[in-house]
Amino acid sequence: MNKLTLRNFRDKFLMYVAAALIPLLLFLYVFQAHRYAKLKSEVRSLESKQVELVETNKKLISEISMLSSSDRIEYIAEHDLGMHKANTDEIVRVEIKGDAK
């Protein structure tokens, strides 16, 4: 009869563990699903931000190339700053002899 009581106790214990484990596993599943949805939303937001930054970067690169064009710089130099291209007699060459650092 001692074996029967021990077996009965073991069976009841396993039944209680299984009964407690099922809701726990369901809770963990719901918790993981919630975390997954939250992370997925965050990834979508970051991807959207990345697309926006790439487009902004393209616009800035375009503006840089436009602003640094040689025609624009030459126009500003001549009209705004009153500069002109140097004639050959206006060019001065400077040579430094010796140890120049």
Side-chain angles (χ1 to χ4, degrees), residues 9-73:
F9 174 75
R10 188 186 74 201
D11 289 344
K12 283 185 180 181
F13 178 75
L14 290 175
M15 187 174 62
Y16 289 134
V17 168
L21 197 58
I22 291 171
L24 178 65
L25 290 175
L26 287 173
F27 173 75
L28 287 175
Y29 175 77
V30 169
F31 177 71
Q32 283 294 94
H34 175 69
R35 272 186 51 202
Y36 175 77
K38 186 177 175 184
L39 288 173
K40 191 174 182 179
S41 171
E42 188 176 339
V43 166
R44 264 194 236 118
S45 171
L46 289 173
E47 286 173 344
S48 170
K49 181 74 172 174
Q50 181 183 20
V51 168
E52 179 185 322
L53 289 173
V54 167
E55 290 302 316
T56 303
N57 193 34
K58 286 180 185 177
K59 288 177 186 175
L60 290 172
I61 289 172
S62 173
E63 288 178 19
I64 287 172
S65 65
M66 184 187 72
L67 291 173
S68 63
S69 72
S70 59
D71 292 338
R72 180 181 173 276
I73 292 173

